[in-house]
């Protein structure tokens, strides 16, 4: 079987690494000549909407999936009419537009911050009394890792905030006073079978994920599972999904979902019985899903902008280093390392050292 992947970065690379033991072959479409997954797959080198390359991908791949969600809608439509595409194109369409996404959560009774659609300064001025300060203005499309977002603290900042959006269709959201950010990763097969991973507790720096820690027996696990289950079923979803949530004193509010494998689930490679990457492949191939239980304590630390001393990482007890084969650049994730241990103290020590090493990277 050959799996086609739109995007050939580290997520595609880790999907391919999980697929080799299952005897799978891969073909990726990516405009970057140095795409991280290129060495592990056939590489179609060109634009995501290049008709000839898309036709080749559809012809060569038994199933097409993607590692990023900003695939143009017409690309997903074209592929869907020529081959099997999972997750389904409707999930992409919802995830690509923050307004549709929030409305979809609302429809499913999944709690969110208060929000409103913004297409002008006038809309913003009218919305603020019900949204309240502080608030975040976000572009509806093409935003990730905090890009295309402005925090508004007072009425005097409204005009500048709207100007910063350059006229882009936007959404205003109330700023959530969360205690924690968590995410839940789940996988669904065409038959409807669903598996859930333990919650990840996530911390960010400058809008980019820095640490994700597996939380076995988290008190919010079943609530998060109910939310993601309703999403999966409403979308008739196939594959791995990640739902990002805010924990506000035990209440869960949804921020966004990603219709793909997710950075907050990288700890599952060593920290779970079956990784998110393998379960994504099993799901899209309609194979039995693997167990998702954690194997002891596990957490992942991202290396952003460059790599610390890799010898020091490798010398750490219970650490596992994953290099993405990417040139260092400001704000770019170039590697991650996972700590997995049965002993709580050893786990904490290694995680603290790893986080310190990640902080030593000069991301400027
Ligand atoms: P996003 O691009 O929507 O994933 O946002 C990136 C990060 O900004 C999130 O992980 C949060 O840390 C923060 N953030 C986004 N939306 C809100 C919100 N409504 N209230 C508080 N923090 C937020």
């Amino acid at each position: 079987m050959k799996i086609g992947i739109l995007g050939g970065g580290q997520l595609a690379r880790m999907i391919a690494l999980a697929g080799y033991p299952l005897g799978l072959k891969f073909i990726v479409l990516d405009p970057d000549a140095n795409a991280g997954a290129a060495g592990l797959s056939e590489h179609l080198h060109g634009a995501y909407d290049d008709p000839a390359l898309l036709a080749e991908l559809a012809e060569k791949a038994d199933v097409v999936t993607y590692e990023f969600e900003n695939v143009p809608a017409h690309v997903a439509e074209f592929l869907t009419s020529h081959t099997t595409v999972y997750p389904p194109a409707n999930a992409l369409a919802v995830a690509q537009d923050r307004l549709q996404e929030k409305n979809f959560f609302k429809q499913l009774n999944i709690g969110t911050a208060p929000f409103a659609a913004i297409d002008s300064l006038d809309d913003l001025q009218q919305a603020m009394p019900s949204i309240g300060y502080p608030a975040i203005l976000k572009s509806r499309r093409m935003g990730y890792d905090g890009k295309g977002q402005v925090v508004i603290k007072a009425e005097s900042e409204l005009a500048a905030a709207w100007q910063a959006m350059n006229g882009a269709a936007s959404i205003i959201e109330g700023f959530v006073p969360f205690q924690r950010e968590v995410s839940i990763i789940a996988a669904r097969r065409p038959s409807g079978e669903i598996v859930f991973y333990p919650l990840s507790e996530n911390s960010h720096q400058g809008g980019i994920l820095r640490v994700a820690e597996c939380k076995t027996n988290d008190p919010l696990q079943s609530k998060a599972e109910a939310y993601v289950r309703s999403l999966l079923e409403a979308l008739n979803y196939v594959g791995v999904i990640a739902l990002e949530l805010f924990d506000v004193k035990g209440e869960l509010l949804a921020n966004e979902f990603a219709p793909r494998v997710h950075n907050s689930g990288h700890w599952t490679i060593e920290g779970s019985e079956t990784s998110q990457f393998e379960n994504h492949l099993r799901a899209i191939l309609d194979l039995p899903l693997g167990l998702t239980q954690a194997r002891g304590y596990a957490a992942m630390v991202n290396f952003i902008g460059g790599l610390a001393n890799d010898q020091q990482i490798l010398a750490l007890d219970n650490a596992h280093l994953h290099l993405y084969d990417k040139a260092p650049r400001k704000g770019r994730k170039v590697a991650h390392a996972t700590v997995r241990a049965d002993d709580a103290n050893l786990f904490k020590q290694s995680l603290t050292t790893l986080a310190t090493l990640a902080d030593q990277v000069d991301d400027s």
Side-chain angles (χ1 to χ4, degrees), residues 208 210 304-306 329-332 359-364:
I208 306 177
R210 172 47 68 105
I304 300 162
R329 197 195 299 151
K330 183 175 164 53
R332 196 177 206 203
D359 284 340
Q360 284 169 2
V361 175
D362 176 18
D363 185 24
S364 57

Side-chain angles (χ1 to χ4, degrees), residues 98 101-102 112-114 134-136 138 143-149 151 172-178 181 202-209 244-246 254-256 262:
R98 291 186 191 275
E101 189 179 34
K102 287 274 180 340
T112 65
I136 307 189
K138 302 179 176 179
Y144 65 98
D145 285 348
K147 292 185 174 64
Q149 301 188 8
V151 176
I172 185 80
E173 293 177 17
F175 194 91
V176 178
F178 58 81
E181 291 191 75
N202 306 326
S203 43
H204 296 79
Q205 264 174 33
I208 306 177
L209 183 69
E244 295 183 37
L245 300 151
F246 299 122
N255 179 29
E256 60 184 1
H262 194 254

Side-chain angles (χ1 to χ4, degrees), residues 29 35 58 60 118 137 141 149 162 181 183 187-188 198 204 239 243 262 268 293 307 345 350:
L29 171 57
K60 288 184 170 169
I118 302 296
L137 186 62
R141 293 184 167 273
Q149 301 188 8
W162 173 245
E181 291 191 75
S183 55
R188 184 175 183 272
H204 296 79
L243 175 62
H262 194 254
T268 62
Q293 273 111 309
L307 189 66
N345 287 328
S350 292

Side-chain angles (χ1 to χ4, degrees), residues 43-326:
H43 180 195
L44 300 176
H45 178 206
Y48 292 121
D49 56 357
D50 181 315
L53 293 181
L54 285 173
E56 190 177 345
L57 183 70
E59 196 207 302
K60 288 184 170 169
D62 297 289
V63 184
V64 172
T65 189
Y66 28 77
E67 63 145 28
F68 76 122
E69 57 265 42
N70 288 322
V71 177
H74 69 272
V75 167
E77 272 160 34
F78 171 85
L79 289 169
T80 304
S81 62
H82 288 82
T83 185
T84 307
V85 179
Y86 286 140
N90 62 326
L92 263 191
V94 176
Q96 280 176 359
D97 179 344
R98 291 186 191 275
L99 182 63
Q100 266 200 58
E101 189 179 34
K102 287 274 180 340
N103 279 324
F104 195 59
F105 287 144
K106 202 169 163 182
Q107 205 183 308
L108 296 173
N109 282 323
I110 296 175
T112 65
F115 65 92
I118 302 296
D119 293 307
S120 66
L121 179 57
D122 195 43
D123 285 352
L124 191 55
Q125 281 157 342
Q126 301 223 357
M128 286 319 291
S130 61
I131 301 292
Y133 295 95
I136 307 189
L137 186 62
K138 302 179 176 179
S139 62
R140 281 172 57 174
R141 293 184 167 273
M142 302 299 277
Y144 65 98
D145 285 348
K147 292 185 174 64
Q149 301 188 8
V150 189
V151 176
I152 306 176
K153 298 204 180 85
E155 196 176 347
S156 57
E157 296 172 8
L158 289 183
W162 173 245
Q163 211 174 8
M165 304 313 285
N166 276 323
S170 301
I171 177 174
I172 185 80
E173 293 177 17
F175 194 91
V176 178
F178 58 81
Q179 274 72 51
R180 310 187 285 164
E181 291 191 75
V182 295
S183 55
I184 182 157
I185 291 173
R188 184 175 183 272
R189 267 176 93 172
S191 62
E193 185 198 353
I194 298 176
V195 290
F196 305 96
Y197 284 91
L199 283 189
S200 298
E201 187 176 300
N202 306 326
S203 43
H204 296 79
Q205 264 174 33
I208 306 177
L209 183 69
R210 172 47 68 105
V211 179
E213 181 173 342
C214 165
K215 290 286 166 183
T216 305
N217 301 324
D218 193 281
L220 296 178
Q221 180 75 30
S222 59
K223 202 169 195 176
E225 287 186 9
Y227 276 2
V228 80
R229 176 186 289 281
S230 63
L231 262 183
L232 289 168
E233 289 175 350
L235 293 165
N236 200 16
Y237 193 93
V238 174
V240 158
I241 195 170
L243 175 62
E244 295 183 37
L245 300 151
F246 299 122
D247 171 3
V248 193
K249 295 188 184 146
E251 190 193 356
L252 274 186
L253 300 180
N255 179 29
E256 60 184 1
F257 75 89
R260 55 170 169 80
V261 290
H262 194 254
N263 194 175
S264 66
H266 290 1
W267 61 263
T268 62
I269 297 176
E270 292 88 7
S272 165
E273 205 62 49
T274 317
S275 78
Q276 63 164 345
F277 301 100
E278 181 172 342
N279 263 336
H280 182 64
L281 289 167
R282 291 188 190 210
I284 65 174
L285 292 169
D286 202 12
L287 298 170
L289 300 175
L291 288 177
T292 51
Q293 273 111 309
R295 299 152 102 186
Y297 300 92
M300 176 232 57
V301 176
N302 269 338
F303 288 87
I304 300 162
L307 189 66
N309 186 324
D310 58 351
Q311 302 245 349
Q312 275 176 293
I313 300 168
L314 291 168
L316 261 183
D317 282 341
N318 301 61
H320 303 269
L321 179 62
H322 297 253
L323 304 175
Y324 301 157
D325 199 11
K326 284 162 80 175

